[in-house]
Amino acid sequence: MSGGGCSIVWFRRDLRVEDNPALAAAVRAGAVVAVFIWAPEEEGHYYPGRVSRWWLKQSLAHLDSSLKSLGTSLVTKRSTDSVSSLLDIVKSTGATQLFFNHLYDPLSLVRDHRAKEVLTAQGIAVLSFNADLLYEPWEVNDVDGRPFTTFMAFWNRCLSMPYDPEAPLLPPKRIVSGDVSRCPSDALVFEDESEKASNALLARAWSPGWSSADKALTNFINGPLIEYSVNRKKADSATTSFLSPHLHFGEVSVRKVFHLVRIKQVLWANEGNTAGEESVNLFLKSIGLREYSRYMSFNHPYSHERPLLGYLKFFPWVIDENYFKAWRQGRTGYPLVDAGMRELWATGWLHDRIRVVVASFFVKVLQLPWRWGMKYFWDTLLDADLESDALGWQYISGTLPDGREFDRIDNPQFEGYKFDPKGEYVRRWLPELARLPTEWIHHPWDAPELVLQAAGVELGSNYPLPIVGIDAAKARLQEALSEMWQHEAASRAAAENGIEEGLGDSSDSVPFAFPQDIQMEVDHEPIRNNPTTMIRRYGDQMVPSITSSLMRVEEDEGSSVDLRHLAEDGRPEVPANLNLDLEPRRETLNQGDVQMVRNNNIIPQFNANLRLHNAEDSTAESSSSSSGRGRDGGIVPVWSPPGSSYSEQFVGEENGLGSTSSYLQRHPQSHQVMNWRQLSQTG
DNA sequence: CAGCAGTTTGC
DNA sequence: CAAACTGCT
């Protein structure tokens, strides 16, 4: 169509036609080529799980038919490299522009940044948009212009921003199709034969696609929403919105959800319905959590693979595949946990509360490395979402500044009576316990023999005894923690002496196989050296500079860079040049950090010691970068499709942040992560 | 019953 | 940590 080429709209996790800024912009610009590129290998071991792929398949079909009714269709490509596929598409369609919506997971940050550079270098105009969040991560900062480090502060700020989130856009009335005659679609394969039968079951419970997402939203707002605050404690009722998988794939926009829900809230407020109003607040909070997960991922791209509290690196996880298996199969001996795990396996779904229960059990009682659990969630959840899941697991594990304390163990028995007081949920998913009276349903091991017999329960045979006692877990946790602090202290001492200590790989634990994701990007560095091709427009995707360094740490440690290099306008910006940039940054950062330490006892920032590594000389650097990072866990059992390789080493640098979590405060002898301490001495 | 301390809980 | 909750005086 008009003056030259058409525009490519690169669909990813924004599979909708309504309120899709990239699509809208492309339509405005003229002819459109709508594209979806399936390149799961790019996700490394976050290759999407079976149920997630099933959903994607349906959702794409749905999007395609919507596009068809508007005048075009979806071009699908199978690829191992999205960016080069984009180039191919540009060539075969004569497109001159590329539009897409932002993503915030670490892989996408890197890939999209590269896409922008590569295509821009080819003379293609690249424009990207916010379609996934109320506010872009770099828009939400505290009074000093720094990112928040706790959820509530973040969310309160979001709710009181000087401007509202963008109002949702209407779907285009009509789309003029670009010429795709020389750009044939590939058939995408999302399931293999062995998966088909299980997938068929999913279709009974779920229907992917934006129109059912809309329906789910409407149903929820007109139904369960008003009772949300009362019902959210129940494990077993259909009181959640069931929007999460739709939201994950962007079938409905959060902004639409937000606006519609807000309207209801005003309505209820006027009616004096405080319960309803409160319900909306709570529901919005869960939307806020989703926002926060992106925020965290952007500000701290390591968070899906490494605890944000650095000392957790030294925690001696239990490397026990039998525990892991028992957990997955729902045979831990704790009914609430087991019921949850069976539901997850059977349906790909789990109530939020129960996610917390099973995850917390996993980390605190079994003390398995949280990333195993996260990976299992990733593979089995219908709404698997890297950012949300990473946030959730970190929260539960106690590795966040505002998460639960690390030494806190929740007792599944008590939680059972809280979330499932009548035992209905347990009975549904654990038929072997169905006849047990409510009194014992959450702790069958205490039940009198006669009761068990009457209920047909034979502990240790048709239902397991607890695989780990809570008391034993508590004791082991204490031990593990003191071991952790010892190692942390030793490491710090060694670092201070400038000795290459090796960060605990002397230990018996196997180096963690995770994560490899980012390394595959490593060899595209030439592009990186040409920063001037980036002309940033207001709406453009910001890239935390760490994404660049993440790609290269292995061979170029000096370039590891702080996350939040502030451009003149105060927003994070792609560093002009990683190495040249170090000098000026050093001063600013130190100043800022010191001030922060003085002014409050809040965590400096997640990235405090990332940046310190730059600012510091090579002592600290060397102590961390060369180690095998042994303590973070063990080999991850493989259950992903073949092809996703787990290789040896961590990418990237060093641990997380200093912390004021109360746990830390109770351990003054080993307080503060090394860097933070050095920091405060500076000031 | 107001007022307070100890405890639980909350992303 | 801070808010909510519990139980006690």
Side-chain angles (χ1 to χ4, degrees):
Chain A
M1 163 145 179
S2 64
C6 57
S7 311
I8 295 172
V9 178
W10 181 21
F11 282 93
R12 294 99 62 84
R13 266 167 265 151
D14 48 353
L15 306 179
R16 62 178 185 264
V17 290
E18 185 185 69
D19 194 29
N20 187 323
L23 177 64
V27 168
R28 234 178 293 127
V32 170
V33 173
V35 172
F36 181 85
I37 301 169
W38 174 238
E41 288 80 8
E42 283 183 349
E43 316 289 326
H45 38 243
Y46 292 104
Y47 188 107
R50 188 200 95 222
V51 290
S52 187
R53 277 178 279 124
W54 171 83
W55 188 289
L56 178 59
K57 180 189 176 184
Q58 318 297 315
S59 193
L60 286 173
H62 202 83
L63 176 66
D64 184 46
S65 70
S66 312
L67 289 170
K68 281 191 171 116
S69 72
L70 292 170
T72 185
S73 62
L74 188 65
V75 173
T76 54
K77 290 287 185 188
R78 181 67 173 90
S79 169
T80 51
D81 180 355
S82 298
V83 177
S84 61
S85 290
L86 284 171
L87 279 175
D88 292 344
I89 297 164
V90 164
K91 279 180 197 130
S92 59
T93 60
T96 53
Q97 305 181 86
L98 170 69
F99 297 84
F100 62 88
N101 295 311
H102 297 160
L103 295 174
Y104 309 89
D105 64 281
L107 294 163
S108 297
L109 285 169
V110 172
R111 182 196 52 220
D112 296 352
H113 180 61
R114 187 164 68 90
K116 197 168 270 198
E117 286 183 327
V118 171
L119 293 228
T120 304
Q122 297 286 315
I124 306 298
V126 181
L127 279 175
S128 61
F129 304 86
N130 171 19
D132 193 46
L133 295 175
L134 300 176
Y135 299 101
E136 292 282 18
W138 51 87
E139 290 178 80
V140 185
N141 292 305
D142 65 16
V143 284
D144 299 320
R146 278 186 288 264
F148 291 98
T149 53
T150 57
F151 170 70
M152 272 324 275
F154 163 81
W155 185 232
N156 287 332
R157 176 66 185 152
C158 287
L159 292 175
S160 61
M161 288 284 278
Y163 48 97
D164 284 329
E166 298 282 322
L169 303 164
L170 291 173
K173 291 198 182 70
R174 190 157 176 278
I175 300 176
V176 178
S177 187
D179 178 11
V180 292
S181 56
R182 284 185 297 140
C183 183
S185 282
D186 300 332
L188 304 184
V189 179
F190 292 106
E191 58 185 7
D192 62 38
E193 285 306 316
S194 69
E195 294 171 332
K196 278 190 174 146
S198 322
N199 285 346
L201 292 174
L202 288 172
R204 292 196 204 162
W206 296 94
S207 77
W210 64 266
S211 59
S212 38
D214 267 4
K215 234 172 279 167
L217 176 59
T218 314
N219 289 343
F220 176 66
I221 289 179
N222 295 323
L225 175 58
I226 197 162
E227 306 262 88
Y228 193 76
S229 65
V230 199
N231 282 334
R232 80 207 157 95
K233 288 206 164 146
K234 295 187 203 155
D236 197 22
S237 42
T239 53
T240 55
S241 67
F242 294 108
L243 280 174
S244 56
H246 296 293
L247 280 170
H248 171 76
F249 287 105
E251 296 171 358
V252 60
S253 92
V254 244
R255 291 188 292 225
K256 180 175 176 179
V257 175
F258 183 79
H259 281 280
L260 290 180
V261 166
R262 261 279 158 96
I263 288 169
K264 268 292 192 212
Q265 186 174 37
V266 171
L267 198 78
W268 287 332
N270 289 338
E271 289 171 358
N273 184 339
T274 45
E277 213 191 329
E278 183 55 19
S279 284
V280 172
N281 283 334
L282 283 166
F283 175 69
L284 285 181
K285 200 163 125 183
S286 65
I287 295 291
L289 239 23
R290 180 184 174 282
E291 297 271 313
Y292 191 56
S293 72
R294 270 73 180 151
Y295 188 78
M296 292 274 289
S297 176
F298 177 83
N299 285 310
H300 193 93
Y302 295 128
S303 57
H304 65 302
E305 62 198 27
R306 191 176 320 146
L308 293 187
L309 300 181
Y311 49 80
L312 256 298
K313 175 180 56 186
F314 301 101
F315 187 83
W317 299 102
V318 173
I319 307 302
D320 186 328
E321 295 219 21
N322 289 325
Y323 282 2
F324 187 36
K325 193 169 171 191
W327 180 77
R328 281 177 300 172
Q329 295 180 336
R331 301 192 57 79
T332 66
Y334 292 91
L336 187 65
V337 173
D338 292 341
M341 294 309 292
R342 306 244 185 124
E343 180 184 18
L344 173 57
W345 177 246
T347 67
W349 176 263
L350 212 47
H351 188 291
D352 194 49
R353 290 276 146 173
I354 306 302
R355 294 185 195 203
V356 172
V357 170
V358 299
S360 155
F361 181 84
F362 184 92
V363 174
K364 301 298 178 63
V365 178
L366 300 181
Q367 293 161 39
L368 295 166
W370 61 276
R371 278 163 51 212
W372 291 11
M374 188 176 119
K375 181 63 164 61
Y376 183 72
F377 270 24
W378 176 257
D379 286 346
T380 52
L381 278 173
L382 212 41
D383 58 3
D385 181 285
L386 195 53
E387 296 97 306
S388 293
D389 292 348
L391 177 65
W393 279 90
Q394 293 237 21
Y395 163 71
I396 284 149
S397 307
T399 63
L400 291 177
D402 56 348
R404 342 195 129 180
E405 281 142 25
F406 196 84
D407 59 346
R408 186 156 114 201
I409 291 189
D410 293 301
N411 189 324
Q413 175 184 338
F414 302 148
E415 288 178 314
Y417 286 107
K418 212 180 323 169
F419 302 135
D420 182 31
K422 294 182 188 148
E424 291 157 342
Y425 180 70
V426 165
R427 290 194 187 89
R428 159 140 2 120
W429 293 105
L430 302 178
E432 62 267 47
L433 297 184
R435 293 164 61 202
L436 208 56
T438 303
E439 188 186 358
W440 307 109
I441 191 88
H442 290 298
H443 54 134
W445 58 88
D446 289 331
E449 196 49 44
L450 277 177
V451 173
L452 289 173
Q453 270 173 24
V457 176
E458 209 180 315
L459 290 179
S461 128
N462 65 354
Y463 186 76
L465 283 159
I467 54 171
V468 177
I470 297 297
D471 288 339
K474 277 184 186 156
R476 209 209 87 94
L477 188 58
Q478 288 309 323
E479 261 171 56
L481 286 170
S482 58
E483 193 181 322
M484 174 181 89
W485 290 120
Q486 279 170 30
H487 280 274
E488 192 268 339
S491 155
R492 180 154 38 86
E496 277 166 7
N497 293 331
I499 295 168
E500 174 80 28
E501 191 262 347
L503 288 181
D505 11 87
S506 53
S507 86
D508 43 359
S509 72
V510 199
F512 211 111
F514 272 145
Q516 254 330 283
D517 341 38
I518 300 176
Q519 255 185 355
M520 61 192 190
E521 302 284 343
V522 157
D523 41 25
H524 302 289
E525 58 175 275
I527 301 146
R528 198 119 267 112
N529 297 329
N530 187 11
T532 49
T533 52
M534 288 290 294
I535 299 157
R536 190 162 54 72
R537 298 172 189 81
Y538 174 73
D540 273 5
Q541 168 87 62
M542 301 288 172
V543 184
S545 48
I546 197 67
T547 53
S548 315
S549 62
L550 267 174
M551 297 164 59
R552 314 193 39 199
V553 173
E554 291 303 323
E555 75 264 3
D556 186 6
E557 291 175 358
S559 73
S560 145
V561 170
D562 75 283
L563 247 192
R564 192 159 304 90
H565 169 211
L566 295 183
E568 289 118 86
D569 59 359
R571 292 186 304 223
E573 172 60 296
V574 183
N577 178 306
L578 299 179
N579 293 316
L580 292 184
D581 245 22
L582 280 173
E583 275 310 313
R585 190 172 317 123
R586 179 179 304 178
E587 294 158 30
T588 3
L589 290 175
N590 279 341
Q591 237 173 341
D593 285 336
V594 168
Q595 204 179 351
M596 206 160 8
V597 171
R598 283 216 194 100
N599 290 355
N600 53 30
N601 46 0
I602 302 185
I603 328 299
Q605 284 182 357
F606 290 150
N607 316 303
N609 49 22
L610 286 175
R611 39 172 86 147
L612 264 229
H613 274 300
N614 309 312
E616 295 296 320
D617 58 332
S618 53
T619 8
E621 190 74 55
S622 60
S623 75
S624 53
S625 53
S626 56
S627 86
R629 270 123 207 133
R631 300 242 134 220
D632 211 7
I635 298 288
V636 177
V638 178
W639 54 84
S640 274
S644 50
S645 63
Y646 297 83
S647 48
E648 346 62 40
Q649 272 213 330
F650 267 125
V651 179
E653 238 350 286
E654 239 343 57
N655 38 301
L657 63 166
S659 167
T660 52
S661 90
S662 54
Y663 188 87
L664 205 52
Q665 286 163 346
R666 279 177 281 121
H667 291 268
Q669 77 283 15
S670 55
H671 51 234
Q672 290 123 340
V673 175
M674 167 191 78
N675 292 321
W676 194 28
R677 163 188 254 202
Q678 289 175 348
L679 204 59
S680 32
Q681 287 169 351
T682 325

